[in-house]
Amino acid sequence: ASPPAIAKGFNSPSQMLGGSTTLTFTIHNPNANVALTAIGFTDTLPAGMVVATPSGAANTCGGATSANAGAASVSLSGGALAAGASCAVSVNVTSTTAGVKENNVLVTSEVGPGNTSTATLTVIGPPAISKAFGAASIPLDGVTTLSFTIQNTNGTASLTGIGFIDTLPAGLAIPQPNGQSGTCGGGAITAAAGGNTVTLSGATLAQSASCTFSVNVMGVSPEIKDNTTGNVTSNEEGTGGTASASLTVLVRPPIPTLSG
């Protein structure tokens, strides 16, 4: 008798970091007149991938499956197939790290090992954002730059529709002219003079690429100005992180008066 054949696949070629997808193992008995028993496999998931919560485990192969939420492996033991029949084991998986996840599995039975099947999933992480003022402090009504850097941290996937909104804290404003410099992946940058928001929308970054742009800001009231952006987002991976920076706007020293 011939051993069983196994094929495996993820239900989508890519997945958002922290999202879940279904991993399905399909087993076939190629023998026209011989049933197979003791069918089994153990699949050690690639680094950074575990069984999701809930696991959504399903089995039509008989026997026992092990697919516990949070586990780093999926297994079947004691399965059985009639001649020419097929069955499937499926489970939801999630990834805690981005990158290409290649997964191999070997099927066995009482007549010996069958084939090895491979499946690949690309896990896409969100863009990263950082920001910095051009100076640690400025005088009241003084001007400095505010720079934003966006990075695609994925080494194998482009990101599209990248954007964020940064609302300046009270006491900072965008002067006229706004001093905008640099571009970002063909996206639209908005920083209206006299306003207090800087936005980016519709940017595209190739794998591992980054972009930087800056605008001028003016201090219109004294004290420390702590500024945190909204979350950076993209079409492929929903919500990324934020970026923070601080600027001190100094009170003007008093103008000395002459006496005598």
Side-chain angles (χ1 to χ4, degrees):
S2 299
I6 189 169
K8 64 181 298 187
F10 296 98
N11 72 337
S12 61
S14 62
Q15 169 193 326
M16 289 171 40
L17 183 66
S20 66
T21 189
T22 302
L23 175 59
T24 300
F25 306 85
T26 302
I27 302 172
H28 176 66
N29 179 357
N31 299 285
N33 299 297
V34 179
L36 294 177
T37 60
I39 297 170
F41 66 82
T42 297
D43 183 22
T44 300
L45 300 175
M49 180 179 289
V50 295
V51 177
T53 304
S55 69
N59 173 24
T60 62
C61 296
T65 55
S66 176
N68 299 319
S73 65
V74 179
S75 65
L76 168 71
S77 61
L81 278 175
S86 297
C87 66
V89 174
S90 62
V91 62
N92 294 333
V93 294
T94 186
S95 294
T96 58
T97 59
V100 177
K101 310 294 184 181
E102 187 171 281
N103 189 208
N104 303 304
V105 67
L106 171 70
V107 66
T108 61
S109 72
E110 87 278 12
V111 298
N115 67 303
T116 298
S117 181
T118 301
T120 301
L121 177 70
T122 300
V123 180
I124 302 175
I129 184 172
S130 60
K131 65 183 296 185
F133 289 102
S137 62
I138 57 174
L140 190 66
D141 296 328
V143 174
T144 189
T145 57
L146 175 57
S147 299
F148 302 88
T149 298
I150 312 296
Q151 182 178 13
N152 179 359
T153 58
N154 298 282
T156 58
S158 297
L159 294 177
T160 62
I162 299 169
F164 70 89
I165 299 175
D166 183 25
T167 301
L168 301 177
L172 289 183
I174 299 168
Q176 175 67 42
N178 68 5
Q180 180 181 322
S181 176
T183 59
C184 191
I189 299 169
T190 303
N196 69 338
T197 59
V198 181
T199 65
L200 170 70
S201 62
T204 297
L205 287 177
Q207 58 194 49
S208 303
S210 63
C211 62
T212 299
F213 70 93
S214 64
V215 299
N216 288 341
V217 294
M218 180 174 65
V220 296
S221 69
E223 70 180 357
I224 297 174
K225 311 297 183 182
D226 295 320
N227 183 207
T228 300
T229 68
N231 296 88
V232 64
T233 61
S234 70
N235 291 334
E236 291 75 15
E237 166 59 53
T239 304
T242 62
S244 298
S246 294
L247 175 69
T248 300
V249 180
L250 304 173
V251 179
R252 284 199 190 100
I255 300 174
T257 58
L258 297 176
S259 59

